[in-house]
Amino acid sequence: LQGLDATVLRDGLRYLLTGNAVLTRLWIYDNLIGDAGALGLGEGLAANKALTELDLGSNQIGNAGAVGLGEGLALNATLTKLYLGSNQIGDAGAARFGECLEANTTLRELYLEGNQIGDAGSVGLGKASATLTMIWLDNNVVTDAGAVGWMAGSSTV
């Protein structure tokens, strides 16, 4: 997937998930899909009715890609595990992602280790925790204040 034109990548990944009723696990680890690929997957997730597990670790996904995925997940009712470790997601992307996930009732496990998420992103993610049974935030830049803010926003703590 490396080296593809951003538009081709976005459209291709959107097409892969839209209307696909067979694929339940998709692992695209370490393929450098970036924000363009994540946006396409977010659009596909909004319509997908089968995928339960998605691994997008080490893909240079930043804030825009995280927001696109979150917007798709707000409409998705099947994904239970999402791996976004070792990307470039910061506070703005994590906070908006958390807001989008308030509408999602199926995501159970969220892996965000090794990004650039700080206190503001942690607080935003606290809003998404109503159905989460596991969230990994290790190797980010969350301080004690961010952890307290996450707990304040969380309905499950």
Side-chain angles (χ1 to χ4, degrees):
L1 299 175
Q2 297 174 20
L4 286 178
D5 173 76
T7 303
V8 171
L9 181 62
R10 181 178 179 167
D11 291 347
L13 289 173
R14 179 182 64 237
Y15 179 76
L16 175 67
L17 292 184
T18 303
N20 186 317
V22 178
L23 186 66
T24 59
R25 292 184 185 166
L26 178 60
W27 291 51
I28 309 178
Y29 184 86
D30 197 19
N31 275 283
L32 309 178
I33 65 167
D35 287 335
L39 289 168
L41 287 168
E43 292 167 3
L45 282 170
N48 185 274
K49 307 250 186 287
L51 198 68
T52 60
E53 192 170 323
L54 179 59
D55 186 340
L56 298 174
S58 295
N59 271 296
Q60 296 185 353
I61 296 170
N63 291 331
V67 170
L69 287 166
E71 289 172 350
L73 285 171
L75 301 171
N76 181 277
T78 57
L79 199 73
T80 60
K81 293 181 185 179
L82 178 59
Y83 301 86
L84 287 170
S86 301
N87 279 291
Q88 299 168 352
I89 301 167
D91 281 340
R96 180 68 182 119
F97 184 83
E99 291 171 9
C100 291
L101 287 186
E102 286 183 85
N104 182 286
T105 60
T106 57
L107 192 66
R108 298 290 181 262
E109 297 180 21
L110 177 60
Y111 299 84
L112 289 164
E113 72 282 356
N115 279 281
Q116 301 161 5
I117 300 168
D119 293 343
S122 175
V123 171
L125 287 168
K127 297 175 183 177
S129 64
T131 60
L132 291 176
T133 58
M134 182 181 300
I135 183 168
W136 288 59
L137 281 171
D138 55 311
N139 294 318
N140 280 284
V141 288
V142 178
T143 67
D144 289 347
V148 169
W150 179 82
M151 289 187 290
S154 173
S155 62
T156 59
V157 175

